Amino acid sequence: LSDVAALIESRKLPEVTDLSNQSSKEGIRIVLDLKSGADREKVLNVLYRKTGLEDTFGVNMLAVVDGTPRTVSLKEIFSECINFQVELNTRKYTNLLQKERERAEVQEGLIQAVDIIDLIIEIIRGSRTIKDAKACLMGDPSHVKFKTEASRKQASGLVFTERQAQAILDMRLSKLIGLEILQLQKDHDVTMKKIGQYEKILSSPRVMTNTIIRDLDTLAEKFGKGRRTEIIDAEAAHEVKEEIPVQEMVFAIDRFGYVKTYDTSVFGRSEELIRQENRTIFPVKSTEKIFLFTDAGNVHQIKAESIPAARAKDKGVPVDNLCNYRSREERIVGIFPEHELNTEKFLFVTEAGYVKIVEGKEFPSSRKTTAATKLQAGDRLLTVLLLAGTQLVLRTEDDYAIRFPVSQISEMKKASAGVKGMDLREGDRVREAFEVTPREKNENEPEEQEYWHSLKLARRGGRGSRLKVPEKSGMSGEE
């Protein structure tokens, strides 16, 4: 109720004119009165997204299994529950079977005793202690005085068990009545029937399962209560997301790491100023993501719609505020829109001279930050280039360079480290990497660009040659 009231106050539910709580002991009932012609589905959509009308929560299913606590799956929960019921009922019917067998043993002794009751009376009268009488019933008549030798001889053939002997001595004389003797026989028949039933349950898994089901049904019928909540079709209670209109915009980032987006009309009016203020600019759609590759080998994602729209002279916001990128720990070496990753291939170059080609489709992910490549110890990613040229030029800090065909670079997965593009001298690092496409000499072409085209074509993995070229040359990895 408080969530809905807050939405009404913040004008996120302008269709609602009144809110009332009509809950009672019969159940919860919240009534929302809507304006005439209001879209009910839209209101429900807002309620599902902004309130606790529909919640998703995780369950940590921790259970003690065989004396050890561990997390189990839903299937394991059912399996362990069934195993517990089988174990419980096995103990139950084993105990019942043992009791019935003991009862049958006593009943059989009493039935036999009725047939020789005169001998038993003589044994009791001739014994000095209960111990002597019990021993005689179990086959040792040495301590009992008999009236005749025949009785002694008959007593020596008795084989009652200890439990039977004790039951006979405890027997009341009323058991000798005819009806009592018949009842004793009937009780013995019932006992034997139960023994057979329990043995069948314990020996047959199928019978055990049916017995457990029958017992649980009996408990549910006796103690169960009807469900007080209602389970409805889950498909009828889901969030219907509103379609976000696709807008064309221009993404821009300056050399200080501030990002912003421009409406196409704003960009058209101030294109020259915007290009002067920003180092990277490209068109993007509002539904796309922007991918930032860093020298630490990571790729960060930013939703274009989350980047604030700016005017021509606006500064924007730090890219650190929109994703997991940390400007103090890593440096951006490549920025690309999602549509390019879905259709293009990319060239990776590291400072240690490793190169590889990766398909852009590998990088989109549900996570905001993922590993873009594998780096050797102490190595950093120098640049990520959109694969466009046919040859690659690598230039080192000691002014050695190599030019070799891109076709010699293998296409790999993003988790690979790559192959050697240049064999570096000790202490040297690659500082520039750019693609070139051979073409006819152009008289208007700058001297340094012509130099790269005239650089001797080598094989990948070579040491390159020393340069004699003006300081300004080619494109840096950051550009």
Side-chain angles (χ1 to χ4, degrees), residues 49-73:
R49 286 191 291 115
K50 303 292 185 180
T51 72
L53 180 62
E54 180 181 66
D55 279 342
T56 300
F57 57 91
V59 178
N60 183 16
M61 295 196 292
L62 186 66
V64 178
V65 180
D66 297 329
T68 304
R70 64 184 180 92
T71 303
V72 293
S73 66

Side-chain angles (χ1 to χ4, degrees), residues 261-279:
T261 56
Y262 298 103
D263 187 81
T264 51
S265 59
V266 174
F267 182 76
R269 292 194 301 268
S270 309
E271 181 176 353
E272 184 176 352
L273 175 62
I274 292 173
R275 290 193 180 278
Q276 289 175 358
E277 295 292 331
N278 297 282
R279 71 174 189 180

Side-chain angles (χ1 to χ4, degrees), residues 342-357:
N342 290 331
T343 57
E344 304 292 343
K345 295 180 180 180
F346 293 83
L347 182 58
F348 283 67
V349 182
T350 73
E351 293 180 357
Y354 286 90
V355 295
K356 67 176 180 178
I357 295 173

Side-chain angles (χ1 to χ4, degrees), residues 70-234:
R70 64 184 180 92
T71 303
V72 293
S73 66
L74 184 61
K75 180 180 178 181
E76 288 173 323
I77 282 283
F78 286 124
S79 178
E80 293 300 330
C81 181
I82 293 170
N83 292 339
F84 173 72
Q85 288 293 333
V86 172
E87 179 185 352
L88 193 66
N89 280 271
T90 299
R91 292 203 304 263
K92 170 186 173 182
Y93 288 107
T94 300
N95 187 42
L96 290 175
L97 177 61
Q98 180 63 28
K99 288 183 177 180
E100 292 301 325
R101 283 175 174 171
E102 292 174 0
R103 184 177 289 109
E105 180 183 347
V106 170
Q107 291 169 345
E108 289 170 358
L110 293 177
I111 291 172
Q112 293 177 27
V114 170
D115 294 335
I116 54 171
I117 192 62
D118 294 333
L119 177 62
I120 291 174
I121 292 173
E122 187 175 348
I123 291 172
I124 294 173
R125 294 185 67 181
S127 301
R128 288 182 297 177
T129 64
I130 295 177
K131 183 179 179 181
D132 292 342
K134 182 186 292 187
C136 182
L137 292 174
M138 295 172 65
D140 181 14
S142 58
H143 300 289
V144 177
K145 293 181 180 180
F146 292 92
K147 294 180 179 180
T148 63
E149 189 62 28
S151 296
R152 178 183 294 278
K153 186 175 180 181
Q154 186 180 1
S156 63
L158 297 177
V159 289
F160 290 108
T161 65
E162 183 177 357
R163 183 176 287 107
Q164 289 174 333
Q166 185 63 49
I168 291 170
L169 293 175
D170 294 340
M171 181 177 63
R172 293 177 299 179
L173 291 176
S174 60
K175 289 291 183 183
L176 300 177
I177 300 173
L179 292 177
E180 287 291 329
I181 296 173
L182 292 175
Q183 185 61 42
L184 182 62
Q185 186 64 51
K186 290 180 180 179
D187 291 344
H188 181 257
D189 293 340
V190 172
T191 300
M192 295 306 296
K193 185 177 181 180
K194 288 183 179 179
I195 289 175
Q197 179 183 351
Y198 297 155
E199 288 178 341
K200 187 176 181 181
I201 292 173
L202 292 171
S203 62
S204 172
R206 182 179 61 81
V207 177
M208 172 66 79
T209 301
N210 293 335
T211 302
I212 292 173
I213 294 173
R214 185 172 60 253
D215 291 346
L216 293 177
D217 286 342
T218 302
L219 290 174
E221 184 179 348
K222 185 176 181 180
F223 301 105
K225 295 182 180 179
R227 175 180 286 276
R228 297 184 180 182
T229 55
E230 181 184 0
I231 298 179
I232 61 175
D233 185 3

Side-chain angles (χ1 to χ4, degrees), residues 269-324:
R269 292 194 301 268
S270 309
E271 181 176 353
E272 184 176 352
L273 175 62
I274 292 173
R275 290 193 180 278
Q276 289 175 358
E277 295 292 331
N278 297 282
R279 71 174 189 180
T280 302
I281 298 173
F282 51 75
V284 67
K285 294 180 179 179
S286 59
T287 54
E288 285 189 275
K289 294 179 181 178
I290 311 298
F291 290 80
L292 286 69
F293 294 84
T294 71
D295 62 346
N298 296 322
V299 55
H300 304 287
Q301 300 182 32
I302 305 176
K303 291 182 178 180
E305 63 181 359
S306 68
I307 304 173
R311 293 172 295 184
K313 295 183 179 181
D314 287 349
K315 188 176 183 180
V317 296
V319 67
D320 303 53
N321 296 351
L322 300 176
C323 62
N324 296 328

